[in-house]
Amino acid sequence: RLQKHFLCINMRFFVSSSAVALVLNMCVLSSRAELWEAWPAYRYIEWDSLSADDQDHATVLTYIESSWNVPGTLLESQGIESRSFEQLTQFQQGHAMDLGLSADMWDCYQNHFDDYSWAELEQEGLDESFKTIGWTQDMWDDTVSTTVPDSNDKDYSALSLKEKLALEDMCYFQANWDMEDLSDYPNGAPDSPSSAFGLAVTTTMLVVSAAFAALVL
């Protein structure tokens, strides 16, 4: 189900009396590419812009205007977003699909795999991404402790590039990680995860280019 793709550049520096050579050796992991192409943009449209029918579907899923407009509210409060698609009732699943949220989309964009066991994360190839943002199997499987990784308390802007790329495996991007209010987007939904990944890669390449320029000069 997971399709991961790597953008790899090999990088190595060496300096001689006659030349400066550069070979890049860096791999940037893009993640869940299949979901980027079909991400649920409609979920990131503010409540007042939904049709009456879709507001009804969302209401069945226990959303109200405030919880719809701040994605992640019903995950933090242990509401419906804290359950995987499989754990929803058939009735709820039907209304989720009426909103364009397939099982894969729900688990990634709504639940962010929070309801998965560590064994299921491993099966999906997601355990390394969770480790990158600070989770361990012991922390994840401990249902009593409230210990969470330091990354949980960071704004998106404070995360490292590696952490941001790992979060994209969980369908997090700047707007939903920072739990921004959808009503703050007057021109519609926030940028999709593919835009966030493009920005991350562009930023990385600018850093690499600057380093090379400094070396040559």
Side-chain angles (χ1 to χ4, degrees), residues 130-157:
F130 277 85
K131 289 176 185 176
T132 296
I133 62 169
W135 284 102
T136 66
Q137 182 173 357
D138 288 342
M139 290 168 62
W140 189 264
D141 288 339
D142 189 341
T143 58
V144 177
S145 174
T146 57
T147 302
V148 295
D150 292 341
S151 60
N152 272 39
D153 297 321
K154 292 181 181 178
D155 290 338
Y156 190 83
S157 61

Side-chain angles (χ1 to χ4, degrees), residues 2 4 113 116-131 136-137 140-141:
L2 274 176
K4 301 195 177 204
F113 306 105
Y116 281 41
S117 68
W118 192 263
E120 288 173 321
L121 295 180
E122 289 179 328
Q123 184 178 356
E124 294 291 338
L126 288 163
D127 54 309
E128 291 301 322
S129 296
F130 277 85
K131 289 176 185 176
T136 66
Q137 182 173 357
W140 189 264
D141 288 339

Side-chain angles (χ1 to χ4, degrees), residues 41-140:
Y42 198 64
R43 171 62 189 90
Y44 298 98
I45 295 174
E46 67 171 315
W47 181 268
D48 286 344
S49 296
L50 298 178
S51 68
D53 284 346
D54 285 338
Q55 286 184 358
D56 288 342
H57 292 312
T59 299
V60 169
L61 295 172
T62 71
Y63 287 101
I64 58 176
E65 182 175 355
S66 58
S67 57
W68 177 270
N69 278 353
V70 183
T73 299
L74 296 186
L75 177 60
E76 284 203 339
S77 64
Q78 296 299 301
I80 196 167
E81 291 177 358
S82 68
R83 303 205 300 273
S84 67
F85 191 85
E86 189 176 71
Q87 296 303 315
L88 302 181
T89 66
Q90 250 186 337
F91 184 63
Q92 291 170 331
Q93 288 176 353
H95 284 279
M97 289 188 288
D98 284 336
L99 287 170
L101 293 163
S102 66
D104 279 352
M105 286 181 177
W106 180 276
D107 285 357
C108 196
Y109 285 97
Q110 301 292 88
N111 180 248
H112 304 287
F113 306 105
D114 189 68
D115 199 28
Y116 281 41
S117 68
W118 192 263
E120 288 173 321
L121 295 180
E122 289 179 328
Q123 184 178 356
E124 294 291 338
L126 288 163
D127 54 309
E128 291 301 322
S129 296
F130 277 85
K131 289 176 185 176
T132 296
I133 62 169
W135 284 102
T136 66
Q137 182 173 357
D138 288 342
M139 290 168 62
W140 189 264

Side-chain angles (χ1 to χ4, degrees), residues 18-37:
S18 58
V20 176
L22 169 69
V23 181
L24 264 81
N25 188 13
M26 179 181 62
C27 290
V28 177
L29 173 66
S30 78
S31 51
R32 299 201 68 81
E34 77 283 6
L35 285 179
W36 288 357
E37 296 175 1

